[in-house]
Amino acid sequence: MSSKNTNSNIDYTLISIIILLGIVSVFTIYTLQPHLDQNYYLKQVIWYIVGSMAVVVMMLFDFDRLRQVSWILYGIGMILLLMLFFHFPPGIAKEVNGAWGWFEFPVFGTMQPAEFMKVFLIILLAHVIVAHNEKYKNHTLKFDIWLLTKIALVTLPPLALVAKQPDLGGVLVLCAITVSLVLVSGIQWRIILSLVGTAVIAVCLVVAAYIYAPEKVESFVDAAGFEHVESRFQGWLNTEEVGQSGGYQLIRAMLAIGSGQLSGKGIGDYQVVDTIPEPHTDMIFTAIAEQFGFIGSSFVITLYFLLIYRLIHIGLQSNDPFGSYLVTGCIGMFTFQVFQNIGMTVKLLPITGLPLPFISYGGSSTLTYLIAIGMVLSIHFRTKEYMFD
Amino acid sequence: MGDKKKKKKSQLPFRLNILFIFVFGLFSLLILQLGVVQILNGEEAQNEINKTENTPSTKPVPRGKMYDRFGRIVLDNEPVKAITYTPPKNGESAAKRLELAENLAQYVTMFKDREELLDNIKERDKKEYWYLQNAKVVQERLTKKEKELDNSEQYKVMLDKITDKDLQEIEWTDELLNVIAIKKEFDQAFELSPHVVLNEGITEEEFAQVAEHLPELQGINAAIDWKRKPLYGGTFNSFIGGITTSDKGIPLENRDYYLTHGYSLNDRVGTSGLEQQYESVLRGRKEKVQYTTDNSGNVVGSEIVVQGKSGNDLVLTLDMELQQAVDKIVQEELKTAMGKVNNNGYLEDALVAMMNPQTGEILAMSGVRYDREDNEYKDQSYRVIYDAHQPGSAVKGATLLAGFDSGVVHIGETIRDTAIKIAGTPKKESWTNLGNPSDLKAIERSSNVYMFNIALRMSGASYQYNQPLRGFDWDSFQRMRNYFNQFGLGVETGVDLPYEATGVVGQDTVAGKILDLAIGQYDTYTTLQLVQYVSTIANDGYRIRPHLVNEIRQAEPQKGQLGPVVKSFNTEVLNKIGIDDKYIERVKQGFINVFHGSQGTAAGRWSGEYRKYKVAGKTGTAENPQYEDGKMKAYTENLSLVGYAPYDNPEVAFAIVVPKNGGGNTQYAVHHEIGKKIIAKYFELKDERAKNGVDTDLLSDSKQEEDGQTKEE
């Protein structure tokens, strides 16, 4: 907590990071342009301009007011997801790559409600936790379980609807948001640790079962409606055998990234990325890695790290717990998406449909993340510095 | 705020810091893995890319040839210049194919004849071309609903929407039609398998032009293709068999079998005769070449991944000189028989099989059919193994041996040659009253009654003139056939061809039919079965598998030289008949008497100079009345002759069947005439070779006719 003047003001560091990410995004899409069917880089520029306006609006808006509209926002998000669930309205609700996750408006373009739901969930969860903590000052076992129940009740409905689309990536992001908020909500360590322990054991059991009796797990997973999850998991485990189907994307991605080597092949000099379908969306990191190699990709990862660092800083500074929780939710969201998106292209994690925040082409996602950043800026803007805390 | 707030504030930063450490850990992991992928394994990935950019291509190798037993080439390969197109993996877009076709069209004219070109290009082809030029325009014509159809449906609809008026926009010059004709060929190609675009009719100049411009014609190759070339025209062709064309490729019904055995869809495979039987030997191994290209797709090097290997050659058991001579004899004799007055219009076939009885090597197989409709003599030698006929008395050797072995007659036994009459069946007797023939005389003079008695005794029935048979054992049919089967009659001979007939087995509903079975007038047998039967007797009871291929040899290292032997087929004994040798000796003596005895049925025909060949065997005549709509139209006889020579050390066995001759005294003994001539020819060739060696160059004599078929003037 250094000086009085730099705080309670606009966070230029954060803004610079976002601008840098925006440049990387537009530039990368531009180099991919010869392999794309539409003028995506210009569209992305437009989205950034629209997003910047959203940032300004959000920043000027007192984030504390969000508590009052949190349920309304959540309700809007739920209605949109429910409409998708019933494929309503016909002709506008749209299936892309087997998932019912989009609305397509005639002039406007497409919109992905699950993206907005991420921010709405952050706001509502932050509100629920703050309200709870204000009511129950002590963290006893009983109160903590009550809080956990409330969090679960809020999280599960959108989770189920997104899972039904099906959009595994979206589900995982919502989970990441919830987990990070549970961590900072003040719930006792022993509850958190036992929850984490249970989760770890469960995952280990499923993986072990899959290794020893794949058919049974497969049929169970298929029955639960997650065939695509299983095929991607397959592609991740046995990349070579699955070959054309599940593993194809991964093989191409690994070749693209690997052949970038230390310093990359140079701007627009693609050998592999152009054979990956839709390289400007989820797989955009491969384009960066092939062009600019390890140096370029490490630079991008560092940018993200600085972004998270900055968010943590703002979260720590905020003297309003609601603000801290909002920031934490954003941290969870960004961290998970970056880790999952890059992790899947380098075979750390199975392939999942998730955009790389701020860089992947996409209107709804870019707008959502910029709104989140606007929210964070607003928190920073309104943080009062106590000289003598 | 006070205490509580402070407490809360104190736990929040701590937990946020834990979150931060966690984030730090995750990002470090990313950088670490990136390092592994990009720096540690980066070079490998780059190599992998360079490798996968190239796809191996295959080159055809010549199929194995066939030689006769003396190394005379029977089936050769003829090189044919061909332009091939090999689509890359996952195919090539229609626009690219058109571009390539335009390129190739500069050097090649598909149809030299304008009419043919116009015939080849259909309206649909023109529409496809127009579509490629105006894809956007056609797409706009689609209704909203049609746009939702799947690709192939949509394409169909779009083609339908192209009108005649549209087509008139383009001037369909011959040059353009040529381009379309080439593209049409490209459209049929499968990924990674070379498709022949043009072979017959390509000029030297076109081939040279294409070869020169190969670098700019991606996927095009100017290659040498192979075409089968039988050197002896029609002779023996039906046993050599055929292969599919490369347009047809592997037979669809066995597609999976061929694909799993490394065939491409457009490979040619044997579908009949020896080509089919020895497919795996003849096909060889395709050469697989891996081309390496630089970034702009130019070929910078090539590596042979799999060394190509020509198909192995077959050395047949056949004596081509004898085969040709037999073909000629059979045809001439059939022609003579056709001209005789007794011919009542049913005679059409003459069938001959000759083999070495000791080894099973087939020396010649000849079948000539007179085609009444075309008025033409046709080489249809496959009838030797496909067509079965009642041979008549030729099978009596087997009947007598069955009698001996069953203990119903004994050596030297005589039986009175009187007519047999069973109630309800016609009277049966020998061709003339033979008195009291012994077993030997019964063969020499061909006594039916003797054989009838054997059959009746084997059946256990009590016989009285014009009474029904009492106590007839129906199993005796099977017992008799079991004996016949031991000689190869009624079972597969085991010849190395994909198919052979086994003849028709009669329905045993009338007890008296066993008498017909005993004299060869009931079940039917192929000519090849008959030669195996007589060989088994010549061979003292060893039934040998007849075969057409003696050796498999590697492709010739030099022209006119046979390659090293890969496999040779030895004599294979299928079974030894379970009958005492003294009985077989008795039948052999009977067979000698047929040709040399004072009363032998063949002795008169084989007198004089023919005695020196020491032929033994048996004649046969089967009544074969021709019915139409239940009415007898004409009386004909199947004439047959089986035998071997010389009888003291048999080296050639033969079976001759000439079905549906006219009967009567004026009958021309076509079977004897064929028999005498082929045996004389066999020994003549043998003597000549002993003196002058083998004449390996039959073709340059140009003595033989162009093919086995000649028009009847």
Side-chain angles (χ1 to χ4, degrees), chain B residues 42-68:
Chain B
E43 210 163 318
E44 218 169 280
Q46 186 62 52
N47 292 340
E48 180 72 20
I49 293 169
N50 296 344
K51 203 170 87 197
T52 52
E53 297 309 308
N54 311 314
T55 42
S57 62
T58 54
K59 281 185 185 168
V61 292
R63 206 172 158 85
K65 302 173 183 180
M66 294 187 200
Y67 297 87
D68 87 340

Side-chain angles (χ1 to χ4, degrees), chain A residues 26-63:
Chain A
V26 173
F27 178 76
T28 310
I29 298 169
Y30 175 75
T31 63
L32 282 169
Q33 205 51 56
H35 313 293
L36 302 176
D37 56 341
Q38 281 184 42
N39 213 340
Y40 284 114
Y41 80 98
L42 268 182
K43 281 184 154 187
Q44 183 75 342
V45 169
I46 293 166
W47 280 116
Y48 259 98
I49 292 168
V50 174
S52 312
M53 293 190 272
V55 168
V56 174
V57 171
M58 285 304 292
M59 209 175 106
L60 298 176
F61 189 78
D62 184 356
F63 72 91

Side-chain angles (χ1 to χ4, degrees), chain B residues 93-150:
Chain B
S93 72
K96 281 260 175 68
R97 287 199 297 268
L98 180 61
E99 198 181 302
L100 184 62
E102 278 164 353
N103 243 328
L104 184 61
Q106 301 170 46
Y107 316 114
V108 166
T109 311
M110 287 291 282
F111 296 97
K112 314 292 187 249
D113 179 31
R114 188 156 184 275
E115 288 298 309
E116 243 182 281
L117 176 66
L118 296 179
D119 269 2
N120 183 269
I121 305 298
K122 305 274 183 297
E123 189 180 295
R124 187 191 155 94
D125 304 320
K126 289 184 180 174
K127 281 185 173 179
E128 288 191 333
Y129 179 78
W130 198 88
Y131 169 78
L132 282 176
Q133 306 294 320
N134 305 286
K136 281 244 165 73
V137 180
V138 193
Q139 266 156 10
E140 276 164 21
R141 292 182 189 175
L142 289 177
T143 61
K144 205 160 179 220
K145 211 164 183 189
E146 283 162 347
K147 277 185 183 160
E148 276 163 24
L149 292 171
D150 65 61

Side-chain angles (χ1 to χ4, degrees), chain A residues 2-298:
Chain A
S2 44
S3 85
K4 219 174 182 174
N5 303 331
T6 49
N7 283 312
S8 72
N9 216 327
I10 298 166
D11 188 339
Y12 291 108
T13 318
L14 184 55
I15 292 174
S16 316
I17 292 170
I18 299 301
I19 288 173
L20 274 175
L21 286 171
I23 291 170
V24 170
S25 170
V26 173
F27 178 76
T28 310
I29 298 169
Y30 175 75
T31 63
L32 282 169
Q33 205 51 56
H35 313 293
L36 302 176
D37 56 341
Q38 281 184 42
N39 213 340
Y40 284 114
Y41 80 98
L42 268 182
K43 281 184 154 187
Q44 183 75 342
V45 169
I46 293 166
W47 280 116
Y48 259 98
I49 292 168
V50 174
S52 312
M53 293 190 272
V55 168
V56 174
V57 171
M58 285 304 292
M59 209 175 106
L60 298 176
F61 189 78
D62 184 356
F63 72 91
D64 219 34
R65 293 276 172 83
L66 285 174
R67 285 190 68 177
Q68 290 151 22
V69 293
S70 60
W71 281 104
I72 296 168
L73 290 174
Y74 180 79
I76 293 171
M78 279 303 288
I79 288 167
L80 291 176
L81 288 176
L82 274 170
M83 281 162 69
L84 280 179
F85 179 71
F86 292 110
H87 306 169
F88 179 87
I92 291 188
K94 209 177 149 220
E95 187 185 12
V96 177
N97 297 332
W100 286 87
W102 283 263
F103 288 118
E104 190 179 35
F105 300 107
V107 190
F108 218 57
T110 57
M111 174 197 151
Q112 205 181 353
E115 291 295 336
F116 296 107
M117 195 66 207
K118 292 171 186 171
V119 177
F120 297 161
L121 185 70
I122 293 172
I123 296 170
L124 183 60
L125 281 178
H127 168 64
V128 167
I129 294 168
V130 171
H132 177 93
N133 286 346
E134 279 169 1
K135 202 167 167 193
Y136 308 99
K137 307 280 181 194
N138 289 324
H139 278 283
T140 62
L141 186 64
K142 194 178 135 199
F143 294 155
D144 276 358
I145 289 177
W146 179 223
L147 176 57
L148 271 178
T149 313
K150 283 195 250 183
I151 291 174
L153 284 175
V154 168
T155 312
L156 284 177
L159 203 68
L161 287 174
V162 174
K164 208 64 203 166
Q165 287 184 355
D167 174 9
L168 178 67
V171 170
L172 293 174
V173 174
L174 295 183
C175 288
I177 290 167
T178 312
V179 167
S180 46
L181 278 169
V182 167
L183 179 71
V184 295
S185 66
I187 289 173
Q188 292 172 43
W189 274 113
R190 48 183 180 157
I191 299 179
I192 291 175
L193 288 178
S194 50
L195 281 177
V196 169
T198 317
V200 167
I201 290 168
V203 168
C204 288
L205 280 179
V206 171
V207 171
Y210 188 82
I211 288 166
Y212 290 107
E215 299 85 14
K216 281 188 187 158
V217 179
E218 266 168 39
S219 61
F220 179 76
V221 170
D222 290 355
F226 278 103
E227 298 93 334
H228 72 294
V229 177
E230 190 243 311
S231 87
R232 280 179 186 160
F233 191 68
Q234 274 279 0
W236 180 58
L237 266 190
N238 319 312
T239 318
E240 303 301 323
E241 286 105 90
V242 182
Q244 288 286 350
S245 54
Y248 176 75
Q249 261 191 317
L250 181 53
I251 290 176
R252 304 309 296 175
M254 293 280 285
L255 282 181
I257 295 173
S259 62
Q261 301 192 38
L262 183 65
S263 51
K265 296 175 186 168
I267 295 165
D269 211 351
Y270 295 119
Q271 275 182 303
V272 189
V273 165
D274 48 345
T275 65
I276 296 177
E278 301 197 37
H280 58 301
T281 58
D282 296 355
M283 284 293 180
I284 198 162
F285 187 75
T286 57
I288 297 169
E290 188 170 5
Q291 288 183 95
F292 302 112
F294 181 70
I295 295 172
S297 33
S298 306

Side-chain angles (χ1 to χ4, degrees), chain B residues 226-240:
Chain B
W226 302 94
K227 202 174 120 188
R228 287 309 230 186
K229 184 184 170 198
L231 277 92
Y232 290 87
T235 305
F236 202 68
N237 245 4
S238 47
F239 292 115
I240 288 173

Side-chain angles (χ1 to χ4, degrees), chain B residues 230-275:
Chain B
L231 277 92
Y232 290 87
T235 305
F236 202 68
N237 245 4
S238 47
F239 292 115
I240 288 173
I243 57 175
T244 58
T245 61
S246 63
D247 274 350
K248 184 166 178 288
I250 55 176
L252 282 181
E253 59 271 20
N254 291 324
R255 201 186 132 117
D256 291 342
Y257 168 84
Y258 287 109
L259 288 180
T260 52
H261 284 74
Y263 286 83
S264 316
L265 286 169
N266 58 357
D267 277 346
R268 289 166 297 182
V269 296
T271 47
S272 61
L274 293 168
E275 292 269 30

